[in-house]
């Protein structure tokens, strides 16, 4: 929730993803969990509260350090919005996701290629449209592997 992370890209991608799921008549449902705290949190919480999404939900929470890797291990996909004001700080979140064997979509910036190679060990994006395309293409494959419980 800092100036090093552009949550506007995530919100725009979530809106587009919701629209794409609706238009494709998909049964896909997406939960986006945003962790942490920071100076821009209240601003984005207000924006999130105004969204009217049907297939995408956004939840925020604060986790104790011991619980963070447990949440990551449950994720189907991780998103890094980190850009680094200096342009040389690598996003530790990506390393956390790699450590939990979770696929990563990362906002591209000056030195990200030292960590994430597009379409090799993750996907990179520069715009909300690119992020939405990555999310849809990666998550729609889960639709084929879901088992529905019938009582």
């Amino acid at each position: 929730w800092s100036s090093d992370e552009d949550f506007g890209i995530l919100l725009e991608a979530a809106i587009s993803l919701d629209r794409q799921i609706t238009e494709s008549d998909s049964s896909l449902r997406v939960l986006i969990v945003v962790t942490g705290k920071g100076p821009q949190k209240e601003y984005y919480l207000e924006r999130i509260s105004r969204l009217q999404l049907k297939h995408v939900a956004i939840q925020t929470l604060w986790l104790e350090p011991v619980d963070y890797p447990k949440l990551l291990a449950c994720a189907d996909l991780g998103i890094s919005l980190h850009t680094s004001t200096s342009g040389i700080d690598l996003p530790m979140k990506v390393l956390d996701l790699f450590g939990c064997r979770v696929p990563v979509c990362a906002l591209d910036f000056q030195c990200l290629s030292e960590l994430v190679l597009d379409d090799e060990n993750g996907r990179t994006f520069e715009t909300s449209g690119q992020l939405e395309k990555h999310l849809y293409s990666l998550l729609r494959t889960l639709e084929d592997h879901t088992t529905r419980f019938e009582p």
Side-chain angles (χ1 to χ4, degrees):
W1 303 106
S2 71
S3 59
D4 279 353
E5 298 175 315
D6 185 353
F7 284 96
I9 289 176
L10 178 62
L11 298 186
E12 290 171 21
I15 293 166
S16 297
L17 179 61
D18 191 72
R19 187 178 313 115
Q20 174 67 23
I21 293 169
T22 299
E23 291 171 0
S24 65
D25 199 29
S26 170
S27 63
L28 187 63
R29 299 296 178 265
V30 178
L31 172 62
I32 298 171
V33 179
V34 183
T35 62
K37 54 186 173 181
Q40 296 182 347
K41 185 173 183 175
E42 290 305 316
Y43 168 75
Y44 283 109
L45 287 177
E46 195 276 323
R47 285 188 60 188
I48 291 167
S49 73
R50 291 185 306 197
L51 297 178
Q52 297 181 355
L53 306 175
K54 297 176 185 171
H55 308 286
V56 177
I58 302 173
Q59 295 292 317
T60 63
L61 55 104
W62 172 254
L63 295 169
E64 294 300 322
V66 69
D67 294 324
Y68 183 64
K70 294 173 187 173
L71 174 67
L72 293 185
C74 294
D76 294 310
L77 178 68
I79 301 170
S80 172
L81 300 169
H82 178 85
T83 57
S84 172
T85 51
S86 69
I88 59 172
D89 297 321
L90 292 172
M92 297 310 297
K93 178 179 296 183
V94 171
L95 293 174
D96 294 339
L97 291 161
F98 284 169
C100 291
R101 303 185 54 86
V102 174
V104 174
C105 288
L107 182 59
D108 203 3
F109 69 99
Q110 183 179 345
C111 68
L112 183 68
S113 63
E114 294 178 28
L115 189 59
V116 179
L117 301 173
D118 191 43
D119 214 19
E120 285 187 37
N121 65 348
R123 298 307 317 256
T124 62
F125 61 92
E126 295 178 359
T127 67
S128 62
Q130 291 172 336
L131 175 58
E132 181 271 327
K133 285 183 173 123
H134 291 328
L135 293 175
Y136 186 70
S137 69
L138 293 167
L139 294 174
R140 73 178 175 171
T141 61
L142 299 174
E143 197 171 28
D144 300 331
H145 302 289
T146 57
T147 303
R148 301 196 192 280
F149 176 72
E150 298 293 332

